[in-house]
């Protein structure tokens, strides 16, 4: 079945809802849980977001009523499962404003999407002495695959520096290009600092030099609308579990002209048209990159998550998240001895901080005893930490279902941390 052959009633749009964070919270069953006898305050959204009832129900519905493999069966259940799986792909296409569903490849997540490009692009487009540009604030997932490629090919990484505030030094970025530059791979929003990078301008600079760009959207796609045609990025990657969908599902968007040129990432069922011992003919896009049985329930759950998000007035939602971040930043800045790490002018929903000389793991442990979930550590961004001269931070990351009450609960728990370590 091709991506365009599914029932249009699977894509019916819901009326747009005005954004009310308190009403939205009721859509997330887990937010009613108690942790150590206290109401859960979930501030670890950069690691993974919680799931609305509609996503949970969509996954259950698939396993209860539609469970079957896709693309190969002629029986009813397989046809239904295929229709729902491909409808999810169309939802992603529309959400990103990609030109075609052929440009949407389902993967296991951001990490696999980057590895796919590093493997397929790198195998054919990168050679000895060539260069890949990335930045100091990349997640390990957008460093290690390229290091592996460079080790294999004899290529090298060139790294965009950042300021003490956590802003890219864009003037240095332009100086990194040489005739050997093959690709720029850049994070849209830093998971460790919250910095929003000027990717549209960076893509323009790269394209002026004939260099394609991959954008790591793992921390941006859930916070503001993404239009891959407007960005003009060549590749865009994200994970389902960071956008209110399930784990184990992710997306690689790629311009069709690029995906057509790249060899398959893995071999196996569904990525072939025919196989003989003499020759294998590969399938059309996007199936060329989807070997084996895909995460069907995961894709359907991701489609439900996109439906859920798009049912809101997204402009109001973005404004709410921005206001909440400003409120939390102001409140945390008033704490004696608390230092916010990452103070770029453009940020999204992440506040990393250090508190006096207290280890972030101790901060996280005491906050947990108050029902507050934050992340503590290097956030898989050790080069960022090394550049800023710190080993780790505590990190509060926000979603639209967080409120000022959550921020005040965090403030009270931080007071308790200071009391314990006074």
């Amino acid at each position: 079945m091709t991506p365009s052959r599914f029932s249009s009633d699977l894509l019916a749009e819901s009326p747009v809802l005005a954004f009310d964070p308190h009403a939205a919270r009721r859509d997330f069953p887990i937010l009613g849980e108690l942790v150590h006898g206290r109401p859960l305050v979930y501030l670890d959204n950069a690691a993974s977001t919680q799931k609305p009832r509609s996503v949970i129900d969509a996954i259950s519905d698939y396993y209860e009523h539609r469970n079957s493999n896709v693309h190969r069966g002629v029986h009813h259940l397989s046809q239904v499962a295929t229709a729902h799986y491909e409808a999810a792909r169309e939802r992603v296409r529309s959400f990103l404003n990609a030109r075609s569903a052929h440009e949407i490849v389902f993967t296991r997540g951001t990490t696999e999407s980057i590895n796919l490009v590093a493997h397929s692009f790198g195998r054919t487009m990168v050679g000895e002495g060539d260069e890949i540009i990335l930045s100091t604030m990349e997640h390990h997932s957008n460093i290690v695959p390229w290091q592996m490629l460079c080790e294999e090919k004899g290529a090298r990484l060139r790294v965009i520096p950042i300021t003490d505030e956590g802003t890219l030094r864009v003037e240095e970025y332009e100086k990194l290009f040489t005739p050997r530059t093959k690709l720029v791979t850049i994070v849209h929003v830093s998971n460790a600092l919250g910095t929003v990078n000027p990717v549209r301008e960076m893509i323009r600079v790269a394209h002026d030099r004939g260099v394609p760009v991959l954008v790591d959207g793992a921390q941006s796609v859930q916070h503001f609308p993404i239009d891959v045609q407007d960005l003009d990025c060549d590749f865009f990657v994200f994970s389902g579990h960071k956008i209110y969908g399930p784990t184990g599902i992710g997306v690689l968007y790629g311009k069709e002209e690029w995906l057509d040129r790249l060899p398959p990432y893995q071999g196996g069922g569904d990525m072939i048209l025919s196989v003989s011992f003499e020759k294998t003919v590969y399938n059309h896009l996007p199936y060329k990159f989807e070997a084996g049985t895909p995460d069907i329930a995961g894709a359907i759950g991701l489609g439900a998550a996109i439906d859920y998000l798009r049912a809101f007035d997204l402009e109001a939602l973005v404004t709410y998240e921005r206001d909440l971040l400003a409120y939390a930043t102001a409140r945390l800045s008033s704490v004696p001895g608390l230092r916010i790490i990452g103070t770029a002018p453009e940020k999204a929903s992440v506040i990393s901080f250090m508190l006096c000389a207290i280890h972030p793991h101790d901060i996280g442990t005491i906050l947990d005893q108050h029902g507050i979930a934050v992340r503590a550590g290097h956030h898989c961004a050790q080069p960022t930490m090394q550049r800023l001269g710190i080993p780790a931070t505590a990190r509060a990351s926000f979603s639209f279902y967080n409120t000022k009450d959550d921020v005040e609960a965090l403030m009270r728990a931080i007071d308790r941390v200071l009391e314990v370590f006074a």
Side-chain angles (χ1 to χ4, degrees):
M1 177 175 284
T2 64
S4 60
R5 290 179 56 200
F6 50 81
S7 174
S8 60
D9 61 359
L10 295 176
L11 299 174
E13 294 186 1
S14 302
V16 175
L17 305 174
F19 183 67
D20 175 355
H22 298 284
R25 288 179 64 84
R26 293 193 287 274
D27 296 332
F28 293 80
I30 202 169
L31 297 181
E33 292 290 311
L34 299 179
V35 174
H36 303 302
R38 298 170 184 265
L40 169 64
V41 176
Y42 188 76
L43 300 176
D44 195 19
N45 295 285
S48 192
T49 53
Q50 299 300 344
K51 318 308 172 193
R53 171 61 68 190
S54 59
V55 169
I56 298 168
D57 287 347
I59 296 169
S60 296
D61 178 76
Y62 167 73
Y63 282 122
E64 289 181 2
H65 303 293
R66 314 180 201 286
N67 180 46
S68 185
N69 213 328
V70 294
H71 296 152
R72 306 176 185 89
V74 296
H75 59 81
H76 173 74
L77 272 185
S78 180
Q79 294 290 312
V80 171
T82 300
H84 282 257
Y85 180 74
E86 294 302 339
R89 194 190 309 273
E90 173 58 24
R91 284 175 167 87
V92 174
R93 184 213 64 77
S94 176
F95 187 62
L96 297 180
N97 193 32
R99 291 182 181 85
S100 165
H102 294 109
E103 298 180 318
I104 304 300
V105 177
F106 284 128
T107 66
R108 289 187 300 158
T110 302
T111 299
E112 186 174 62
S113 296
I114 294 172
N115 273 273
L116 190 162
V117 177
H119 182 88
S120 296
F121 181 92
R123 189 198 301 174
T124 52
M125 305 292 175
V126 177
E128 184 175 358
D130 287 339
E131 299 167 348
I132 306 291
I133 294 177
L134 42 66
S135 84
T136 305
M137 68 174 73
E138 302 304 320
H139 189 282
H140 293 170
S141 295
N142 201 26
I143 299 174
V144 178
W146 305 108
Q147 283 181 324
M148 295 168 68
L149 173 66
C150 288
E151 289 172 3
E152 178 184 336
K153 294 285 191 172
R156 68 166 179 157
L157 301 180
R158 306 206 69 186
V159 183
I160 311 166
I162 61 173
T163 67
D164 292 342
E165 292 73 33
T167 303
L168 280 183
R169 295 181 62 183
V170 178
E171 73 281 6
E172 297 298 322
Y173 165 63
E174 299 193 29
K175 297 176 183 175
L176 295 178
F177 285 89
T178 75
R180 304 307 300 266
T181 304
K182 293 299 181 182
L183 182 82
V184 173
T185 182
I186 185 73
V187 66
H188 200 171
V189 174
S190 164
N191 73 306
L193 307 176
T195 305
V196 180
N197 287 320
V199 293
R200 182 183 291 103
E201 175 61 15
M202 296 178 73
I203 291 166
R204 186 194 63 76
V205 169
H207 284 179
D208 284 348
R209 294 158 175 80
V211 176
V213 179
L214 181 150
V215 176
D216 175 357
Q219 299 292 338
S220 63
V221 71
Q222 67 277 49
H223 292 303
F224 43 81
I226 300 294
D227 184 330
V228 291
Q229 293 190 64
D230 179 60
L231 288 177
D232 197 25
C233 53
D234 302 278
F235 305 100
F236 187 94
V237 299
F238 70 94
S239 296
H241 73 98
K242 294 182 190 291
I243 187 173
Y244 314 104
T247 56
I249 187 74
V251 169
L252 163 64
Y253 157 81
K255 287 181 178 175
E256 192 162 354
E257 55 264 37
W258 274 115
L259 295 181
D260 266 335
R261 293 172 63 185
L262 302 185
Y265 173 50
Q266 297 175 326
D270 221 22
M271 54 76 70
I272 54 92
L273 287 177
S274 67
V275 175
S276 70
F277 285 112
E278 288 72 34
K279 181 178 176 59
T280 293
V281 179
Y282 301 131
N283 207 341
H284 308 295
L285 292 176
Y287 311 116
K288 183 174 76 172
F289 295 105
E290 295 183 358
T293 296
D295 184 352
I296 304 164
I300 291 171
L302 174 58
I306 289 173
D307 280 351
Y308 176 80
L309 198 56
R310 296 186 81 174
F312 290 114
D313 178 341
L314 292 181
E315 185 174 341
L317 187 151
V318 170
T319 299
Y320 174 78
E321 286 194 354
R322 185 183 300 123
D323 291 346
L324 183 65
L325 179 66
Y327 179 80
T329 301
R331 293 291 287 133
L332 288 169
S333 297
S334 70
V335 177
L338 189 146
R339 175 188 168 202
I340 293 177
I341 307 298
T343 54
E346 294 294 329
K347 289 185 60 176
S349 295
V350 169
I351 301 179
S352 277
F353 63 92
M354 302 183 74
L355 184 59
C356 302
I358 306 168
H359 195 284
H361 284 179
D362 292 329
I363 297 171
T365 299
I366 293 177
L367 294 184
D368 176 63
Q369 293 302 310
H370 289 72
I372 298 172
V374 298
R375 185 54 57 111
H378 53 62
H379 316 302
C380 295
Q382 285 183 300
T384 308
M385 299 293 143
Q386 291 162 4
R387 161 60 183 85
L388 298 175
I390 55 177
T393 71
R395 183 187 70 187
S397 52
F398 301 88
S399 168
F400 60 76
Y401 47 60
N402 293 122
T403 65
K404 290 182 179 178
D405 290 340
D406 291 339
V407 176
E408 294 307 315
L410 174 63
M411 294 293 292
R412 291 191 295 273
I414 286 176
D415 286 343
R416 180 58 183 157
V417 174
L418 290 171
E419 289 173 8
V420 169
F421 286 94

